Amino acid sequence: KFDKAKLDTAAGDITVNFKNNGKVKHNVHFLDKKGGATLAPGGEGEIIDGGASEALKFKATAGSYYYQCDLHPDTMFGTLTVK
């Protein structure tokens, strides 16, 4: 699981710092909806090893969006609310 199932932020430039605290590979991928398309350029993180981290930078307008780990989408997911 992600440590946060809900993220809230202001519209515009967004930076998400992702640290893989697990022992297996993970990523974070922001989508326009579950099963949808990548929210914005920069919204799809690399698949990284346990202990590694990454900063994702992208732009988003107001709305409710979905994020997931592409390797574990059934157990690692959440909602991004942009105001």
Side-chain angles (χ1 to χ4, degrees), residues 9-42:
T9 191
D13 294 328
I14 297 171
T15 299
V16 176
N17 295 305
F18 172 62
K19 181 172 183 189
N20 180 352
N21 290 321
K23 294 182 180 179
V24 299
K25 294 179 183 282
H26 294 293
N27 80 326
V28 62
H29 187 177
F30 291 88
L31 306 160
D32 59 357
K33 61 183 177 183
K34 184 176 181 177
T38 300
L39 179 58

Side-chain angles (χ1 to χ4, degrees), residues 20-75:
N20 180 352
N21 290 321
K23 294 182 180 179
V24 299
K25 294 179 183 282
H26 294 293
N27 80 326
V28 62
H29 187 177
F30 291 88
L31 306 160
D32 59 357
K33 61 183 177 183
K34 184 176 181 177
T38 300
L39 179 58
E44 180 177 3
E46 297 292 324
I47 295 172
I48 58 175
D49 292 324
S53 57
E54 176 181 34
L56 283 75
K57 296 180 181 186
F58 57 95
K59 292 182 183 273
T61 58
S64 181
Y65 306 104
Y66 188 81
Y67 63 94
Q68 68 180 26
C69 170
D70 291 331
L71 299 176
H72 308 99
D74 294 333
T75 56

